[in-house]
Amino acid sequence: MIVDAGFDEFVKQYWQALVTGKELDVDYLVPSKQTTFGFRVSKATCLDDTQNGALCFSLTPTSWLVKMAVDPIVVAYDSQDKRLLRFTGRANICDTKGKYEQVDIQYQYL
């Protein structure tokens, strides 16, 4: 099971398997719902405007019902040092109105 940014450690731990095309299933905890949802992690095509040379993975809901409400999360990594470069998808924490926001977070390292 992964929580919040725990996907980052999961991707790094299973890097070699994911890079070679293996698909891995994981439960993702959503604190505001107090439950987990199944996701499949796999290598993916990077989104437009992702840093050149990045390696991307998608976290796709395994439930057909959740797939109808949640688009895959796409994360981009530097292929050399495995640093997270971008997270695009639905945030797992809701705002005060109970709404989950779509985010596009791009990381820079100094």
Side-chain angles (χ1 to χ4, degrees):
M1 175 176 28
I2 56 177
V3 179
D4 197 28
F7 72 86
D8 184 50
E9 189 56 37
F10 181 88
V11 167
K12 289 175 182 174
Q13 181 176 352
Y14 295 101
W15 183 268
Q16 194 56 44
L18 292 167
V19 167
T20 60
K22 186 166 185 172
E23 296 179 342
L24 302 171
D25 290 343
V26 65
D27 288 326
Y28 199 107
L29 176 68
V30 179
S32 58
K33 292 287 187 189
Q34 298 180 2
T35 192
T36 60
F37 294 93
F39 280 81
R40 180 158 294 134
V41 183
S42 61
K43 195 172 176 183
T45 301
C46 292
L47 301 174
D48 291 341
D49 299 323
T50 298
Q51 182 176 315
N52 288 338
L55 188 56
C56 296
F57 304 98
S58 66
L59 290 82
T60 305
T62 56
S63 161
W64 67 270
L65 184 60
V66 177
K67 281 182 188 178
M68 291 174 54
V70 178
D71 290 332
I73 295 167
V74 179
V75 291
Y77 284 83
D78 183 296
S79 60
Q80 299 302 312
D81 63 15
K82 301 178 187 172
R83 283 186 169 179
L84 180 62
L85 300 173
R86 186 176 186 186
F87 175 101
T88 306
R90 181 179 264 185
N92 70 339
I93 299 174
C94 60
D95 64 17
T96 57
K97 296 177 183 176
K99 183 178 179 189
Y100 294 88
E101 299 292 329
Q102 287 293 116
V103 299
D104 186 352
I105 303 168
Q106 298 190 40
Y107 300 85
Q108 294 182 351
Y109 298 91
L110 305 174

